[in-house]
Amino acid sequence: MKSTRRAIALTLVGALTATALAACSSSGSGDGDGESADGKTTLKVVSLLPGSEPEAIDAFNEQVKQFEDANPDIDVVPEEYEWKATTFAAQLAGGTLPDVFEIPFTDAKTLVENKQIADLDTQFRTLPYADKFNPAIIEAGTGPDGHVYAIPAKNVYGVGLHYNRALFESAGLDPDSPPTTWDQVREYAKKIADANPGVAGYAQMTQNNTGGWQLTVNTYSRGGRVQEVGDDGKATESLDNDGTKEALEFLQALRWEDNSMGSNFLLDWGTMNEAFAAGQVGMYTSGSDVYTSMVQSNGLDPATYGLTALPLDGDDAGVLTGGTLAAMPAKATDDKKAAAVKWIDFFYLNKLVDQDAAVKDAQTLVASDQPVGTPVLPMFSKEQYLENQEWIKDYINVPLNQMTGYTDTMFDLPLVGEPSQKTQEVYALMDPVVQAVLTDQNADIDKLLADANKQAQALLDQG
């Protein structure tokens, strides 16, 4: 789940386990706690999702080599990593995370308040583009003292509707004319399910907090909000709003009236991507950036992929937006911090603002048949983003002509950030609500939402 603490709607468009992957590093491994045997700073970093394709690993290995060649005093040790709300806290407390790990925008404020991540402000300020970030994005990783604790890293996205072009064709639908309303999504989902027994015409994430995340997406798209924050900073839950009710009634109809949602109702971000890439899902909602992950980790056939804008219904309808921050454990040493910011600059950010770095990164990825050009939202500004795309235009290999329903509108999306307080805890309360609607034909939506809202408000009242 990847999102901002505040409503980024304001200006975004103006913006293998350690063992299995140890061989990714071109240098000998050290003790992992500070210096390696040859005196280098050892830096464990997030690499790829578990089970990534060999070509993706090859591309990452090459990037590690390039970094170590340029920074011979740093020994990079890559580790597989997938952020999950249900396991992250235990990993952080247990000290099993890499030195540089990734978190969603929603989590940084709480981690700062709990003194669980390192203050990276001094090192961050050495970056030549430190003052050029979209203010709403850099704010997500900034503490109450004004210091930067988590650095925007990648994947600033708006949620879109992902669809399988081959399944569209099998159902007699035009893959170049994806649905633009929720009524059309329902219609298309039934046609896909009827034409492909066992396939979900439309699927919904439901567990590991992704059920709450995507129910919030569905709520925003219908003009509702799940949390309101007053001028005094006090938050009030509103899970029982009309938008959320309509979203659940929509799922209820697809499941019990149309039988168009398949049979697996325990999906999260990773398993949804896997099912979609395998041709078992016709449509689902998620961040605009997941194409890259599905190619790297799920063997997605690009020819089958389509992306379009999220249907919007209502005067205050919006598109949930979010992103990823890079952070470090609170006890990180200054040497580790300095090494980490060099890696964050090299791997995540410099390629966005420097032409030579952008071209080198694109060349490295293309050499291993990895995606270049997946649509995301600007980290800095629209102008900077478009300039970057011009630098790498000769290397873009994603099927942008199959994503125009999204890319034609991406700079005009009415963006809304995720709920700002107790985000993951509230999402966890919403998961069983979605599951109940999809597994119990007689589920009482009003009661489910009233109960969840009461529990969520109690969480907020705890402070």
Side-chain angles (χ1 to χ4, degrees), residues 373-437:
T374 299
V376 292
L377 296 176
M379 190 86 75
F380 300 98
S381 67
K382 176 180 177 180
E383 292 72 23
Q384 181 66 59
Y385 177 86
L386 293 176
E387 184 177 36
N388 174 271
Q389 297 301 287
E390 184 67 21
W391 293 338
I392 63 173
K393 66 179 181 180
D394 293 340
Y395 304 97
I396 291 176
N397 57 7
V398 304
L400 290 178
N401 61 322
Q402 297 165 202
M403 306 179 187
T404 55
Y406 182 85
T407 57
D408 285 352
T409 63
M410 60 185 283
F411 296 118
D412 300 313
L413 297 174
L415 300 170
V416 185
E418 291 184 67
S420 63
Q421 298 186 25
K422 302 287 186 179
T423 310
Q424 299 301 335
E425 295 96 324
V426 173
Y427 283 170
L429 293 173
M430 297 165 74
D431 277 4
V433 174
V434 182
Q435 293 170 18
V437 168

Side-chain angles (χ1 to χ4, degrees), residues 14 43 50 52 71 198 264 301 411 418 451:
L43 188 71
S52 292
N71 298 273
N264 187 353
D301 178 0
F411 296 118
E418 291 184 67
D451 290 347

Side-chain angles (χ1 to χ4, degrees), residues 101-118:
F101 52 82
E102 297 173 356
I103 58 174
F105 280 12
T106 50
D107 280 29
K109 298 292 186 181
T110 298
L111 293 172
V112 172
E113 291 169 5
N114 293 340
K115 303 185 186 304
Q116 291 175 287
I117 56 176

Side-chain angles (χ1 to χ4, degrees), residues 50-292:
S52 292
E53 300 291 325
E55 295 82 2
I57 296 173
D58 288 344
F60 190 88
N61 288 349
E62 176 58 28
Q63 289 171 313
V64 169
K65 181 180 183 302
Q66 291 171 8
F67 176 80
E68 291 183 336
D69 286 347
N71 298 273
D73 58 334
I74 301 174
D75 181 14
V76 172
V77 180
E79 296 186 4
E80 273 190 342
Y81 178 83
E82 180 180 0
W83 183 90
K84 288 189 177 183
T86 51
T87 58
F88 174 78
Q91 290 174 309
L92 181 59
T96 61
L97 292 174
D99 298 312
V100 180
F101 52 82
E102 297 173 356
I103 58 174
F105 280 12
T106 50
D107 280 29
K109 298 292 186 181
T110 298
L111 293 172
V112 172
E113 291 169 5
N114 293 340
K115 303 185 186 304
Q116 291 175 287
I117 56 176
D119 184 337
L120 301 177
D121 197 73
T122 298
Q123 294 78 17
F124 170 75
R125 300 297 172 188
T126 66
L127 297 173
Y129 46 82
D131 61 349
K132 298 184 184 301
F133 283 92
N134 180 302
I137 292 177
I138 200 65
E139 195 275 339
T142 300
D145 57 0
H147 289 197
V148 172
Y149 288 76
I151 300 174
K154 65 177 183 180
N155 300 349
V156 179
Y157 64 83
V159 169
L161 180 69
H162 307 263
Y163 65 96
N164 186 303
R165 294 173 61 86
L167 291 176
F168 265 51
E169 291 177 343
S170 72
L173 301 168
D174 183 357
D176 293 325
S177 298
T180 58
T181 68
W182 286 113
D183 285 343
Q184 286 182 328
V185 170
R186 180 179 178 182
E187 174 191 350
Y188 289 20
K190 181 167 175 52
K191 288 182 177 180
I192 291 170
D194 287 348
N196 301 273
V199 167
Y202 179 88
Q204 185 85 357
M205 299 180 205
T206 64
Q207 65 174 355
N208 294 327
N209 298 22
T210 63
W213 175 43
Q214 287 302 302
L215 183 56
T216 301
V217 167
N218 302 154
T219 297
Y220 287 2
S221 74
R222 292 168 170 84
R225 298 293 184 269
V226 300
Q227 188 180 100
E228 303 289 345
V229 180
D231 293 338
D232 59 357
K234 181 176 176 56
T236 302
E237 285 302 323
S238 54
L239 301 183
D240 52 355
N241 69 87
D242 289 343
T244 304
K245 291 180 184 178
E246 291 172 12
L248 290 171
E249 289 168 352
F250 171 81
L251 296 176
Q252 197 172 53
L254 267 67
R255 169 67 175 97
W256 298 107
E257 295 179 29
D258 301 345
N259 192 27
S260 61
M261 296 190 69
S263 58
N264 187 353
F265 307 115
L266 290 175
L267 295 166
D268 61 11
W269 185 84
T271 52
M272 178 69 83
N273 292 345
E274 181 180 358
F276 181 85
Q280 295 301 304
V281 171
M283 293 177 285
Y284 78 108
T285 57
S286 190
S288 64
D289 58 324
V290 299
Y291 174 87
T292 295

